[in-house]
Amino acid sequence: MSEASIVDITPFLAKHQLPLKYQYLSEQFFIPLAHDILESKKNNTPIFVAINGCQGSGKTTLADFLVTWFSNNTPFTSVALSIDDFYLSKAHRQGLAKDVHPLFATRGVPGTHDVGLMNTTISRLLAKEVGVPLPKFDKQHDDCSPEQTWQCNNKPIDIIILEGWCVGSEPQPLFSLSEPINELERQYDKEGVWRRCVNSCLANEYKSVFSKIDYTVMLKAPSFEDVFKWRQEQEQKLIAAKGEGDGTMSDEQLVHFISHFERITRENLNTLSAKANALLELDSNRDISAMHLTSDDTLQPIIFTDLDGTLLDHADYNTKNISSLLQSLQAAHIPVVFNTSKTFCEVVELKNELNIQQPFIVENGAAAYLPVDYFELKPIGCTQVGAYWCYAFAKPLSNLLSDLDSLSSEYKSHYKLFSDLSSEQISSLTGLDEAHARRAQTRDFSDPLYWHGSDELLNAFVNDVKALGYEIKIGGRFIHIAKNTDKSAAQQWLVKQISQHFRKPLTVIALGDSDNDKQMLEQADIAIIIHNPSSKKPVKLTHNKARYSQSPAPLGWIEEITTLPCISSILNTIEERKSHG
């Protein structure tokens, strides 16, 4: 159930010599990010993922982590490419420096990459070609590695990752180029030729590659000043290890070097961060302080539903018409929680028949049950009942029976406890066969009443029961008695448990058909009342607006759920992905 499973990444930490805190980062951020990328992938179609981040932000390590995680946890193949491996040769860049502008001698900015090669490589990978050469650049010698040393993919690639400081960058408006932004541009690009050429490259050649991107991750630094500080710290470590002059830069040289990247870096901090599918915000120590996924802006629906007369036809309890939709909702990770007066035995049988594994609430909120593997840890306060965790809200049934015995004997001839009804009577009242009737009579917390007396005597009975601290709900067929429990309390408890396992805020949808469902419906974000011609007391909400179905169950349930935008958008997206397959 948990969207971010805990995974041992000890070998990965050792490979990259990373601190243990990276395990925490992976659990909190990187694994949920991997799941989000997978959810964005269309069936049988490769996905092109961009990782943008300034120097020292950890983009290369993140790319390798994702490749490692996809390899170990999914059937998908993946590859991480760096835009640095597509640099033009030293001779080519020297030619640009001579013919176009001297600043092109420094590799890094748009215009210093072999965009044609990059476009061809990525296009071939997206076409699922095998044997595609993957370029490498030798930074030590500042030149392309020999082609015979390049590796090739031996399988079609499902997830292509391209990381780099300017990956996904967009051109600036022309008016933004008129004034220099740093000393480098003031001294060496007085006429703006270099920056206009860089901008033109982004608008044209680089756009041919970046327009193919399906999903963008941005590792966002707090400011450009922090980027400089990080690079300065890196240089100081190199100087401490190697000494000055051995491939290291003084502060003055560093300012000159990093100024080449300032314009685009600042632009990305201002604009790309608002467009990224995943934004990971870094603090001044380069630790991730927050992550925002655009998919989080879509609320996560969770459905709580009554059964008889709401999800199931009151007459025959047939599940055939509803089974397909319930399967689709489960496949879309939309929880459907049965919140019913039925017993544990009845609901388990129904869930097995429908082949769904979801939490459920029984006996009008008396207890909530969750499959033991639904969460990684047992919820606090639960006990195990078979294959389920149980959280009980109500006292055992014996307490209720004792209190009913204490009431006036006049009432007893005018009602029957559900557990005292014969199989024939249950079948006549509910349409249940003998096996289903036995499961319905196996009760742990409550025992509904079938009232066959006058309304006047019923009012007196209700008042006496309330005086004992019980609440009474009049359902479609039976009267339900409970103390300090109702469907809404159990619903709220489950919402709290489930919300801890979703990154997105929950939208609670509740569906019912009778007064017995009122409090559950009042607590929902979206309340839906299903038309039930046989209900003795149709529900009317006090504190919440409700939608009303035109059709009874199950058609009314299907029509209302599938027309909700928060549901239909998810189901349509999944259907669209299938169609691409």
Side-chain angles (χ1 to χ4, degrees), residues 20-174:
L20 283 175
K21 72 176 180 181
Y22 208 89
Q23 174 83 40
Y24 164 80
L25 294 175
S26 72
E27 293 166 8
Q28 290 294 111
F29 304 111
F30 303 150
I31 296 175
L33 170 61
H35 279 283
D36 199 56
I37 291 170
L38 291 177
E39 289 178 9
S40 300
K41 184 184 180 303
K42 297 173 181 176
N43 281 6
N44 297 324
T45 303
I47 184 172
F48 181 19
V49 178
I51 300 180
N52 177 285
C54 60
Q55 295 180 4
S57 60
K59 56 189 177 295
T60 304
T61 307
L62 174 57
D64 192 28
F65 174 86
L66 291 173
V67 168
T68 303
W69 191 89
F70 290 136
S71 174
N72 293 338
N73 297 278
T74 76
F76 299 118
T77 56
S78 58
V79 64
L81 307 173
S82 172
I83 197 170
D84 292 356
D85 286 319
F86 293 95
Y87 281 135
L88 293 167
S89 67
K90 182 188 293 186
H92 195 144
R93 283 180 281 115
Q94 288 174 343
L96 287 175
K98 179 180 178 181
D99 299 335
V100 182
H101 195 284
L103 288 179
F104 279 118
T106 301
R107 67 175 189 254
V109 297
T112 62
H113 302 92
D114 188 339
V115 182
L117 176 61
M118 180 162 46
N119 195 9
T120 299
T121 302
I122 291 170
S123 296
R124 292 181 65 186
L125 292 173
L126 288 171
K128 292 190 167 185
E129 289 189 30
V130 176
V132 180
L134 306 178
K136 279 293 178 185
F137 188 86
D138 184 348
K139 291 185 178 179
Q140 186 175 358
H141 295 96
D142 191 24
D143 216 338
C144 304
S145 298
E147 289 189 28
Q148 60 267 28
T149 66
W150 298 358
Q151 294 183 342
C152 299
N153 64 310
N154 55 17
K155 293 180 180 179
I157 303 297
D158 300 303
I159 303 169
I160 300 109
I161 301 172
L162 178 67
E163 57 89 0
W165 77 276
C166 65
V167 172
S169 299
E170 297 180 348
Q172 289 183 288
L174 293 179

Side-chain angles (χ1 to χ4, degrees), residues 382-395:
C382 286
T383 57
Q384 188 164 355
V385 178
Y388 298 90
W389 297 122
C390 171
Y391 189 93
F393 298 87
K395 299 291 184 183

Side-chain angles (χ1 to χ4, degrees), residues 5 55-57 149 190 310 350 392 427 468 526 556:
S5 304
Q55 295 180 4
S57 60
T149 66
K190 294 178 181 179
T310 300
L350 179 61
S427 180
L468 294 175
I526 301 174

